[in-house]
Amino acid sequence: MTHPWSTHSLATELDTGIAAVREAGLLCRKVQSQIDRGALEKKDKSPVTVADFGSQALICNALVSRFGFEPIIGEEDSAALREIGNESLFSKVVEQVRILRPEANTDTICQWIDLGGCKEYSDRFWTLDPIDGTKGFLRGQQYAISLALLINGVIEVAVVGCPNLGPDLNGDRQDGTVFAAIRGAGVWQLPMTTEGQAKPVKVSPQTDTTLIRFCESVEAAHSSHGDAARIAEHLNIQAEPARLDSQAKYAVVCRGEAEAYLRLPRDGKYKEKIWDHAGGVLILTEAGGRVTDIRGNDLDFTRGYRLENNLGVIVTNGHMHDAVIKAILELGIGQF
Ligand code: AMP
Ligand code: MG
């Protein structure tokens, strides 16, 4: 199938990224469908661990097969899998990866995972969150597989797969949605598991701040719900926030189902990780939106695996960005 980006110089990178994220999505869906309630009640996190490592192995393998060795700043490394006591976890990862890569063995799978173990900045690197929103994954809710290519510190290509996000946030999940972007060329959404037409995506045109809806993390530990409520009151926002896990929040703002995503720091110490944002930032900005930290500074992806120079993240459709940043300043949010 030819896509609108077919003639772009980074088309191979985007096509490879989409195929890799779709494949990882198949593995994640399979593992998520097998989660039993009993495991959840026992607070057994092993299903998400299996899917996390499996997803990273598949995507790193797809990238190295197409582009040779390139640095990949990923969330996982294989050390935990190799620890004594984790044998059964490891064998579940191998079993899942072999469904899609029958030739894989324990050593190759560890090597693939560790391709994503880079932590340092370089002129050209990929960043990968094999499962963003692990809590959402375990709850059977939203999670994302996020991959981005950065060249000279600028996000050039992004793929954000949302296996549980259908064409409408509150509608049928269908087979999920993948968002694909190339800087300057646009952003499109496609079905996650089937081929299909790439449809361009645009942020909401809403300019009246009182009429916006914002989204935030489900996990209060990841973003201050209290400060978000103070901003909502200050700006006279009527709608209740939408709470969802992962970079699906960027996706929802990107296609106009919400006007903002607030990620407000709980303390001055936590540094956001680049894999939690790079993919989301490009799909959002290509849809016409704006992303900064809570002080209005651009996110700086040149400092390694963390956003060392930033505090929190504010995502909007662009129209109310300045109003939100002003409210944060007036309310003294983020002054620790
Ligand atoms: P979310 O799905 O929006 O709740 O975000 C999930 C991400 O939050 C994970 O991928 C973690 O990297 C990240 N995270 C973990 N601890 C914190 C924290 N204290 N503040 C902000 N983000 C965090
Ligand atoms: Mg994450």
Side-chain angles (χ1 to χ4, degrees):
M1 178 174 286
T2 51
H3 288 303
W5 59 85
S6 295
T7 57
H8 196 281
S9 61
L10 291 169
T12 307
E13 279 78 353
L14 186 59
D15 287 335
T16 306
I18 293 171
V21 165
R22 277 182 165 156
E23 237 185 354
L26 291 177
L27 183 151
C28 295
R29 289 166 77 97
K30 194 158 198 303
V31 175
Q32 197 185 43
S33 71
Q34 292 164 353
I35 296 177
D36 66 88
R37 292 224 153 265
L40 263 187
E41 274 152 26
K42 279 185 270 156
K43 300 221 179 317
D44 174 13
K45 293 209 176 92
S46 60
V48 73
T49 313
V50 170
D52 221 2
F53 284 109
S55 169
Q56 181 154 323
L58 289 175
I59 293 174
C60 292
N61 170 246
L63 294 179
V64 76
S65 302
R66 187 65 191 76
F67 302 108
F69 176 77
E70 292 195 308
I72 305 169
I73 302 185
E75 191 169 14
E76 307 301 338
D77 69 61
S78 73
L81 270 189
R82 294 179 198 258
E83 275 169 22
I84 294 167
N86 279 347
E87 295 80 3
S88 102
L89 201 63
F90 197 172
S91 69
K92 284 184 188 143
V93 175
V94 174
E95 185 189 315
Q96 292 299 330
V97 173
R98 275 199 186 141
I99 296 172
L100 292 150
R101 299 275 195 286
E103 75 284 10
N105 61 41
T106 52
D107 285 339
T108 49
I109 289 173
C110 282
Q111 282 163 18
W112 295 346
I113 292 168
D114 290 336
L115 287 169
C118 180
K119 291 278 179 281
E120 309 293 326
Y121 171 79
S122 54
D123 290 348
R124 177 175 159 125
F125 69 93
W126 297 83
T127 185
L128 168 65
D129 196 339
I131 291 198
D132 183 33
T134 52
K135 302 246 171 82
F137 180 89
L138 284 168
R139 284 191 243 99
Q141 296 171 348
Q142 294 299 331
Y143 65 99
I145 301 160
S146 181
L147 177 67
L149 171 67
L150 290 92
I151 302 174
N152 297 324
V154 179
I155 314 159
E156 296 288 351
V157 174
V159 182
V160 179
C162 302
N164 283 341
L165 186 65
D168 297 303
L169 173 58
N170 296 315
D172 190 333
R173 291 172 171 190
Q174 298 189 19
D175 65 353
T177 308
V178 50
F179 295 79
I182 300 182
R183 187 174 67 88
V187 53
W188 299 269
Q189 58 177 339
L190 303 103
M192 183 98 191
T193 55
T194 52
E195 282 300 320
Q197 207 67 35
K199 296 193 185 125
V201 187
K202 258 199 168 337
V203 292
S204 153
Q206 184 59 259
T207 52
D208 184 342
T209 311
T210 65
L211 298 180
I212 72 167
R213 185 182 192 205
F214 69 90
C215 48
E216 63 184 349
S217 292
V218 175
E219 298 299 321
H222 296 169
S223 181
S224 168
H225 290 171
D227 284 341
R230 289 169 66 212
I231 294 171
E233 200 187 342
H234 196 76
L235 295 176
N236 203 14
I237 296 170
Q238 304 299 316
E240 285 296 312
R243 288 195 177 141
L244 55 158
D245 300 280
S246 82
Q247 283 164 72
K249 292 187 279 297
Y250 278 99
V252 161
V253 180
C254 169
R255 68 182 188 187
E257 288 175 299
E259 282 77 16
Y261 157 25
L262 308 180
R263 195 172 187 87
L264 303 168
R266 307 272 322 226
D267 58 54
K269 292 183 206 105
Y270 182 80
K271 300 286 181 197
E272 295 288 337
K273 307 300 182 291
I274 63 168
W275 51 74
D276 284 331
H277 298 285
V281 168
L282 187 65
I283 65 166
L284 189 274
T285 51
E286 283 302 312
R290 196 168 157 208
V291 185
T292 66
D293 69 4
I294 62 162
R295 300 176 182 124
N297 297 322
D298 288 340
L299 303 188
D300 177 358
F301 289 94
T302 68
R303 302 294 308 275
Y305 74 102
R306 290 183 291 227
L307 294 172
E308 301 283 358
N309 290 343
N310 299 106
L311 185 64
V313 178
I314 301 298
V315 174
T316 71
N317 67 348
H319 302 301
M320 64 255 336
H321 206 90
D322 293 339
V324 174
I325 299 295
K326 186 163 168 267
I328 288 171
L329 196 65
E330 285 170 3
L331 292 166
I333 290 169
Q335 289 167 18
F336 301 105

